[in-house]
């Protein structure tokens, strides 16, 4: 089976920050709708995209995803 990335930590972080919709992450982190869609499917995204999200939330990659 192909490896997947678990972004549950990111989705929980959005809830904790009172961000209602995942799409609010697009302008907040400066990522594209395609990146968000890939993350929603548990697919790999670039380190650049993960870095943008981490920068927006002042966190580390391990705070937003886990590779299974």
């Amino acid at each position: 089976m192909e490896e997947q990335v678990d972004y549950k930590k990111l989705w929980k972080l959005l809830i904790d920050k009172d961000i209602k919709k995942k799409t609010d992450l697009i302008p907040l982190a400066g990522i594209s709708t395609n990146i968000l869609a890939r993350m929603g499917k548990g697919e790999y995204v670039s380190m650049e995209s993960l870095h943008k999200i981490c920068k927006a939330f002042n966190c580390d990659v391990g705070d937003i995803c886990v590779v299974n």
Side-chain angles (χ1 to χ4, degrees):
M1 187 175 159
E2 191 175 313
E3 285 188 39
Q4 291 224 310
V5 183
D6 183 348
Y7 295 102
K8 285 180 189 164
K9 289 182 175 185
L10 174 60
W11 310 140
K12 183 178 182 329
L13 181 63
L14 294 180
I15 292 166
D16 292 346
K17 298 276 186 186
D18 203 29
I19 297 171
K20 305 274 189 253
K21 299 176 291 186
K22 290 180 183 178
T23 52
D24 291 340
L25 186 59
I26 295 167
L28 189 67
I31 61 170
S32 69
T33 53
N34 181 47
I35 295 298
L36 187 63
R38 290 177 59 94
M39 293 173 78
K41 296 176 191 170
E43 296 176 359
Y44 287 103
V45 297
S46 70
M47 279 303 295
E48 180 184 2
S49 298
L50 294 176
H51 176 72
K52 287 179 180 180
I53 294 166
C54 289
K55 196 171 173 183
F57 290 111
N58 193 26
C59 66
D60 190 42
V61 174
D63 296 327
I64 61 172
C65 66
V66 176
V67 178
N68 295 325

